[in-house]
Amino acid sequence: VGNRDDSNLYINMKLKAAAEIGISANHIKLPNTATEADVLKCIASLNGDPAVHGFIVQLPLDSDKPINTEKITNAVAPEKDVDGLSSINAGKLSRGDLGDCFIPCTPKGCMELIRQTGVHVAGKRAVVIGRSKIVGAPMHDLLLWNNATVTTCHSKTSTLAEEVGKADILVVAAGKAEMVKGEWIKPGAIVIDCGINHVPDSTKPSGKRVVGDVAYSTAKEKASYITPVPGGVGPMTVAMLMQSTVESAQRFLEKFQPGKWNIQYNQLTLKMPVPSDIEISQSCMPKPIDQVAKEIGLLPDEVELYGQTKAKVHLSTLKRLKNQPDGKYIVVTGITPTPLGEGKSTTTVGLVQALGAHLHQNVFACVRQPSQGPTFGIKGGAAGGGYCQVVPMEEFNLHLTGDIHAITAANNLVAAAIDARIFHELTQTDQALYNRLVPSVSGVRKFSDIQIRRLQKLGINKTDPAALTKEEISSFVRLDIDPGTITWQRVLDTNDRFLRKITIGQSPTEKGFSRVAQFDITVSSEIMAVLALSDGLDDMKKRLGRMVVASSKRGEPVTADDLGVTGALAVLMRDAVKPNLMQTLEGTPVFVHAGPFANIAHGNSSVLADKIALKLVGKDGFVVTEAGFGADIGMEKFFNIKCRYSGLRPHVVVLVATVRALKMHGGGPAVTAGVPLPKEYMEENLQLLAKGCSNLNKQIQNARLFGVPVVVAVNAFKTDTKAELALVVQLAKEAGAFDAVECTHWAEGGRGAVALARAVQRASQAPSNFRFLYNVELPVVDKIRLIAQQIYGASDIELLPEAREKVALYTKQGFGNLPICMAKTHLSLSHDPEQKGAPTGFILPIRDIRASVGAGFLYPLVGTMSTMPGLPTRPCFYDIDLDPVSGEVNGLF
C-alpha cells in the first residue's frame, strides 16, 4: 500500500529471489488512498485463489486512510500466511505446533543460521533482545521449543549487560544502533544481529551508513559466530520467505491431491421398527456442506454455498482435474417395476454408504432431482428411503437450489417468444418488422450476434442492415411458423390436470389470434434433457439454440436460435448448469443434478455431475449413478444416449430386483399404490416367484448385450422368506449375472449393502467390453426395430401413419442420425402395461415420433404419454405441514 522507497526496495529483493528459483511472484500495488476495506477485499481475493500458494502484506501500510495493521495481518488465510504474522500462526508457534504453522521469516532465518554453525541449541542459554511480533517474540518461542533456556530482554532491561554476558546464543532485534557492546558478550557466543540502523558517516556519498544493533567491530573479537550488517540476516529472511512459499505449495498439493480424501462419516443409530423417512432424515445432523466439499478435495472457489446443507459446484473443477484418471462408473437400474417402485434410489444410496462409510472407498452418488409435482401429489419424495437417504430430504424434494424453477422460466420464455413472434408477423409489414427487430439507436442500426447467425443460416452474408434487399428483409423477419406444428408447450412444476388442454390468446389485445395449447410438468421440458446431456456451458448454449420448437409453413424447422432467444436462455440457465452437492445419511457425497423424464426423455442425471464426480473420486474410487424406470428403458437410454454423448464407459450394472415385483411378473394380482398388497405377496410362493424370474433373466440379458458385468441386488422386504431370497439369487446367477446379493440397506443403512458393495468391487475388476446397441447412421426405422426386438422381445414394429410421416420429415430435415429415445410404459417390457414377465412375439406399435433436437434424440411414442400428472382425491399435501416453532417440515415421505 502506497509507494515507500524502502518498501519498494524490499519487495524488489523478494521478486528477484523468487524469479531466480522459479517461483511466480507478483507485486500488487494499492495507492496511498486505499482504505482498510480496499486492502481487505484484495486479501480476500488472494485467500480464495487456488493459484496463489502464499502472499505477504508489506508493512508499514503507507495510506492516508486509517488502517488497523493487526486486522489486516489477521485477514490473511493462515495456510497462505508465509510471513507467519497472523495471530493463528503466532498462537501455534507459541504453543509449539512448529509443523503446523508458518514461522516469521526473520526468526526462521536466524534459526537456520544458528543450525549452520553446528552448535546444538538444546540446553544452551539464549538471550533475545527485543519483543516485537515480527522478530523478538517469535524468536523467543522458536528457541524455547528447540529446547534452549531463553531470556527475553529489551531496552528497559536494567541488567542488560549482565544478561547478555550469560548468553551462549544472542539474538538482537532492538532497533537501536550498536546498543550491544562487544565487551558484554560471552566469549564463544553465537551472535545474530537483526538490526538495521542508519548512522551519520561523512565518508559515504549518502552521508550515512548502515549498522546493526551490535557493535560489530568489538563483538566479532569475542563471538565465535556473528552476522554482519548488512549482508547477514537480511538475505536469510528473503530465503526463508521463499522456503515458506514452497512449503505452502507442497502442503496445498498434499491436501488437495486428487483422489486423496479425508472424510468423516456419520454413525447411524438404527431403530426397529424403522421410523418414517422424514423422522430419520430430521434425526440426522448433516455435516456442513462446506466441510463435505473440503473432505472430497474441492477448492473454496469451486463451491457456491446455498445455506448449510447444499451447494453448487463450479465447472472449473473439471478443468482443474482434466488430467486426472476417472474412477469406476456404476449404473443402478432395475427389473420391470410394480407401480410402487423397487428401490433403485434406496439401493443407490445404500451402495455408496457401504462403499464409503464401511469399506472406506472414495465414492460419489449421482442422482436426479425430483419434480415438486409428485412430491405434493401421490408419489411423494425421491430421496431414497429408510436409512438410505439423501439429506436433508425436505431440501432435496422441494426447491433445492432452484434449477427446476430456472428451467420453468427458460422454457416459458421460449413459449412466449413463439406466440409473440406469430402475433407480430400477422400484424406488421416486412419493413415494420425489420425496423423493430433492427432498431436505430442514436442513428446507428446494428445486427445482434444472434441475428448475424440467422442471416448466415439463410445464406445472407451481410452485416450492414442497410445492405439487405427487400427479399432478404422478408426472409430475415418472417419465421412463418405454422401454428399446427408447434411442439413447444408451457410448463409448471405442479401436478395440474386442468392445464392438459387450454386455449391461449383470448384477450382482445391479441386481436383474435388464439390457439389450443397445453401445459406440461417442468421436468418434461426439453431444456431439462439439454441440461442433463450438456458437458459445459458452451455445449449447453449450442444445444439450447438447436431446439426445434415448430416448423415453418414451408416445412423447415424453426429453432430457439431463429427466435433470437438462445443467449437469454443461457443466462437463465447459467447457475442451473452447476451440479448440486449434498450428502447421504452416513456422510458420503452426492450430486443431485437434472431430472429428465424417463419416457419422453432419457431419465438420467447429468453428464456434468458424473464427469466431475469421476475426477474427484480418483482412479480407485466409484461413481454410482441411477437410470430411471427398468433396465429396458432407463439403462438402455443410459448406454445408447447418455454414454454416447458423454464418452464415458460404465464398468458395472447393478440390477435391483424384489421378490414382490417378480411375483407380479409370475402372474400375481395387480399391485396398486395406496392399496394393501394381496396375500400372494405376503406369503411364501416359490412357484410364482420362479415363473416371474423370466423378467429378471431378460433384464440381465439386456445389460449383457452392452458388454457390461451385471450384479443383481435383491432388495429384501420384511415379508420375504429366506427361501424366496435364495431362489432369486440362484436364478440370477444362472441367468448370467456376475453375482447376486441379498440387501437389507433400507433397514440397516450402508451395513446392509456391504455384500453388494464387495460384489460391485469385484465386478469392476472384470473385463467390460462396452458397446452400443446400434449405429446412429442407421435409418430411423431400423434403430427403433433393433431396440424393440433385442431389448423388449418384440417380433417387429408397426409405424402408424403419423409416425411414418415424421420419419420422412425428420430425415428430410437432417435429424435422422440422432439416437432413439423410446417413450414406452415402464410397467411392462412390451407396450401393454398388463403384459408381465418377458413377453415375446408381439408387434410394437409406434403411434408418433417427435424430436428433441437440442437434447439430441428422436422419441417414438408407444401409446399415449401423459406429460402433466394430475392430483389424486387425497394428495400428499394433506399430510405436509410446517412447525411454526421449530421451522421443521412434517409429513414428507
Side-chain angles (χ1 to χ4, degrees):
V1 178
N3 196 32
R4 286 175 59 115
D5 290 339
D6 55 349
S7 291
N8 286 327
L9 177 63
Y10 299 144
I11 289 167
N12 287 333
M13 288 170 57
K14 294 163 187 172
L15 292 174
K16 182 181 177 183
E20 286 175 355
I21 63 171
I23 291 177
S24 174
N26 297 306
H27 180 191
I28 298 174
K29 297 181 180 180
L30 297 179
N32 63 358
T33 57
T35 63
E36 185 175 274
D38 294 333
V39 181
L40 289 171
K41 183 178 179 182
C42 184
I43 290 172
S45 174
L46 295 169
N47 283 341
D49 187 348
V52 175
H53 298 116
F55 64 97
I56 66 171
V57 179
Q58 186 67 45
L59 302 177
L61 299 168
D62 179 27
S63 175
D64 57 15
K65 303 289 193 303
I67 296 180
N68 184 331
T69 301
E70 182 85 358
K71 186 175 181 181
I72 295 300
T73 54
N74 282 327
V76 179
E79 64 271 19
K80 295 189 178 186
D81 176 28
V82 289
D83 241 354
L85 300 182
S86 69
S87 295
I88 290 177
N89 278 318
K92 287 182 176 181
L93 175 57
S94 68
R95 207 169 55 188
D97 298 337
L98 305 188
D100 189 35
C101 70
F102 285 112
I103 298 164
C105 299
T106 298
K108 188 176 182 181
C110 293
M111 281 303 301
E112 186 60 32
L113 287 168
I114 295 167
R115 286 193 193 98
Q116 292 294 328
T117 68
V119 173
H120 294 288
V121 174
K124 296 294 189 293
R125 183 181 291 273
V127 172
V128 177
I129 301 177
R131 51 189 172 181
S132 74
K133 295 176 183 177
I134 297 175
V135 182
M139 192 72 231
H140 172 280
D141 294 335
L142 205 50
L143 286 162
L144 181 67
W145 292 112
N146 277 275
N147 300 310
T149 301
V150 188
T151 301
T152 297
C153 300
H154 43 79
S155 58
K156 300 293 189 294
T157 302
S158 59
T159 57
L160 188 58
E162 182 183 337
E163 296 296 339
V164 169
K166 299 174 186 176
D168 301 313
I169 299 169
L170 177 64
V171 181
V172 188
K176 197 169 182 180
E178 299 183 331
M179 180 183 76
V180 176
K181 309 305 178 188
E183 57 268 23
W184 296 357
I185 294 170
K186 180 180 179 180
I190 298 171
V191 180
I192 308 293
D193 188 352
C194 302
I196 298 177
N197 307 283
H198 293 90
V199 297
D201 187 338
S202 59
T203 66
K204 301 291 183 181
S206 63
K208 55 187 178 182
R209 62 187 169 90
V210 177
V211 298
D213 291 351
V214 178
Y216 180 79
S217 58
T218 54
K220 71 178 182 179
E221 302 301 328
K222 299 188 73 174
S224 59
Y225 296 91
I226 185 170
T227 57
V229 177
V233 173
M236 281 304 296
T237 298
V238 175
M240 292 302 102
L241 176 63
M242 300 302 110
Q243 186 183 74
S244 291
T245 305
V246 172
E247 287 174 3
S248 178
Q250 288 172 332
R251 291 177 190 176
F252 175 84
L253 291 173
E254 289 171 8
K255 186 176 182 181
F256 292 102
Q257 184 178 341
K260 183 181 179 182
W261 289 7
N262 181 21
I263 194 164
Q264 173 187 322
Y265 298 107
N266 297 333
Q267 296 294 316
L268 295 179
T269 302
L270 304 178
K271 294 181 180 180
M272 289 299 289
V274 177
S276 70
D277 290 350
I278 189 74
E279 286 179 76
I280 294 172
S281 175
Q282 291 179 346
S283 69
C284 160
M285 180 60 72
K287 295 178 289 186
I289 201 65
D290 57 340
Q291 178 186 329
V292 176
K294 190 174 182 181
E295 289 174 344
I296 62 176
L298 287 167
L299 304 181
D301 71 329
E302 293 170 344
V303 181
E304 191 175 319
L305 301 179
Y306 280 66
Q308 294 294 310
T309 55
K310 54 190 187 290
K312 286 280 188 187
V313 174
H314 289 237
L315 305 190
S316 59
T317 308
L318 260 184
K319 185 178 180 182
R320 173 173 66 88
L321 300 174
K322 65 181 179 181
N323 295 323
Q324 299 302 323
D326 289 343
K328 305 289 188 183
Y329 196 28
I330 317 300
V331 60
V332 176
T333 185
I335 62 170
T336 305
T338 69
L340 304 179
E342 309 317 308
K344 290 194 309 298
S345 298
T346 306
T347 302
T348 299
V349 176
L351 175 57
V352 298
Q353 289 182 166
L355 283 166
H358 298 268
L359 300 183
H360 304 292
Q361 302 293 306
N362 291 356
V363 62
F364 233 113
C366 292
V367 299
R368 288 184 293 167
Q369 179 183 353
S371 166
Q372 270 182 186
T375 300
F376 292 103
I378 194 170
K379 183 176 179 291
Y387 286 103
C388 297
Q389 296 185 51
V390 181
V391 291
M393 66 98 78
E394 58 269 41
E395 300 278 357
F396 178 90
N397 285 311
L398 299 177
H399 304 283
L400 198 57
T401 57
D403 293 352
I404 291 180
H405 301 319
I407 291 166
T408 302
N411 183 99
N412 292 344
L413 181 61
V414 177
I418 294 168
D419 290 308
R421 188 60 176 260
I422 293 172
F423 173 79
H424 291 307
E425 287 187 25
L426 285 172
T427 56
Q428 296 180 54
T429 64
D430 290 353
Q431 193 59 51
L433 280 169
Y434 192 57
N435 290 343
R436 289 181 172 88
L437 286 170
V438 193
S440 176
V441 180
S442 301
V444 178
R445 299 183 77 180
K446 184 181 177 183
F447 291 120
S448 66
D449 291 343
I450 202 165
Q451 289 176 326
I452 294 286
R453 289 206 298 273
R454 169 139 176 87
L455 288 168
Q456 291 170 345
K457 179 180 176 180
L458 294 169
I460 303 170
N461 296 312
K462 297 177 181 178
T463 57
D464 181 3
L468 268 64
T469 65
K470 285 186 177 180
E471 291 75 15
E472 288 170 339
I473 287 173
S474 181
S475 182
F476 172 73
V477 301
R478 297 215 173 265
L479 300 180
D480 205 20
I481 294 170
D482 179 356
T485 66
I486 295 172
T487 54
W488 197 268
Q489 310 298 345
R490 288 163 172 82
V491 297
L492 191 68
D493 196 29
T494 302
N495 289 11
D496 192 343
R497 65 192 319 120
F498 283 91
L499 293 177
R500 290 170 177 168
K501 186 174 183 180
I502 60 173
T503 302
I504 61 172
Q506 291 189 335
S507 169
T509 55
E510 274 47 75
K511 302 179 182 178
F513 171 67
S514 65
R515 66 181 182 90
V516 174
Q518 69 187 60
F519 269 79
D520 295 336
I521 198 158
T522 298
V523 291
S524 71
S525 170
E526 184 177 349
I527 295 177
M528 177 63 90
V530 165
L531 174 66
L533 289 170
S534 297
D535 68 2
L537 268 171
D538 186 56
D539 182 49
M540 182 182 73
K541 189 175 175 182
K542 289 175 181 175
R543 288 175 181 271
L544 290 170
R546 290 198 300 264
M547 294 186 307
V548 174
V549 300
S551 293
S552 70
K553 291 174 182 173
R554 297 180 299 280
E556 297 166 349
V558 177
T559 66
D561 226 40
D562 293 325
L563 287 167
V565 76
T566 304
L569 298 180
V571 169
L572 287 169
M573 294 293 293
R574 65 177 183 149
D575 289 324
V577 77
K578 305 167 194 170
N580 304 296
L581 178 65
M582 295 187 76
Q583 63 191 291
T584 66
L585 281 167
E586 295 191 50
T588 59
V590 180
F591 273 142
V592 184
H593 199 217
F597 259 32
N599 47 31
I600 66 165
H602 64 293
N604 286 263
S605 61
S606 79
V607 165
L608 278 168
D610 290 0
K611 284 190 170 184
I612 294 173
L614 283 164
K615 295 297 183 187
L616 286 169
V617 298
K619 67 182 179 67
D620 297 321
F622 294 84
V623 170
V624 182
T625 191
E626 177 194 342
F629 291 157
D632 55 309
I633 299 179
M635 183 196 70
E636 182 270 316
K637 295 174 184 180
F638 172 81
F639 289 143
N640 282 322
I641 298 176
K642 185 176 181 180
C643 290
R644 195 184 297 270
Y645 282 123
S646 70
L648 299 174
R649 297 294 177 261
H651 293 81
V652 182
V653 171
V654 173
L655 183 68
V656 180
T658 62
V659 168
R660 176 179 71 193
L662 291 171
K663 284 181 176 179
M664 178 192 72
H665 287 295
V671 174
T672 307
V675 176
L677 285 170
K679 66 179 179 65
E680 287 85 348
Y681 299 103
M682 311 299 286
E683 300 171 356
E684 184 174 289
N685 191 327
L686 298 179
Q687 184 178 358
L688 193 65
L689 179 61
K691 185 180 178 184
C693 281
S694 61
N695 186 271
L696 174 63
N697 190 335
K698 174 58 177 167
Q699 298 290 30
I700 291 171
Q701 299 312 313
N702 283 343
R704 295 186 67 195
L705 271 176
F706 295 91
V708 184
V710 184
V711 174
V712 173
V714 186
N715 188 15
F717 287 67
K718 62 183 179 181
T719 53
D720 302 337
T721 67
K722 288 185 177 180
E724 287 175 329
L725 293 169
L727 179 62
V728 177
V729 168
Q730 174 195 332
L731 293 178
K733 291 178 180 178
E734 290 175 3
F738 178 90
D739 203 349
V741 182
E742 177 188 339
C743 305
T744 54
H745 46 274
W746 179 80
E748 297 180 0
R751 188 179 74 193
V754 168
L756 173 63
R758 294 194 190 282
V760 167
Q761 281 183 300
R762 293 192 301 272
S764 71
Q765 303 301 321
S768 176
N769 303 306
F770 177 70
R771 55 188 173 268
F772 297 120
L773 182 66
Y774 55 81
N775 187 323
V776 289
E777 302 296 326
L778 287 174
V780 173
V781 174
D782 289 356
K783 288 182 283 193
I784 297 172
R785 184 177 287 112
L786 272 170
I787 295 171
Q789 291 177 334
Q790 296 200 35
I791 302 296
Y792 305 155
S795 60
D796 205 350
I797 61 173
E798 178 188 7
L799 268 68
L800 301 184
E802 196 168 355
R804 288 197 296 270
E805 289 173 13
K806 291 294 180 62
V807 168
L809 174 66
Y810 293 143
T811 303
K812 177 186 173 186
Q813 291 181 337
F815 306 140
N817 291 341
L818 292 175
I820 299 300
C821 181
M822 299 291 283
K824 178 187 78 71
T825 178
H826 62 291
L827 297 175
S828 171
L829 281 162
S830 77
H831 58 286
D832 180 0
E834 301 304 316
Q835 280 196 293
K836 304 301 181 184
T840 58
F842 58 90
I843 304 295
L844 190 76
I846 309 300
R847 181 174 63 83
D848 193 5
I849 301 176
R850 295 177 187 168
S852 286
V853 178
F857 51 75
L858 301 178
Y859 59 99
L861 299 177
V862 183
T864 302
M865 292 294 132
S866 173
T867 50
M868 172 54 84
L871 291 173
T873 305
R874 193 186 189 282
C876 297
F877 61 63
Y878 274 89
D879 301 308
I880 297 171
D881 201 0
L882 183 71
D883 186 321
V885 177
S886 67
E888 285 190 344
V889 175
N890 299 316
L892 278 179
F893 71 97

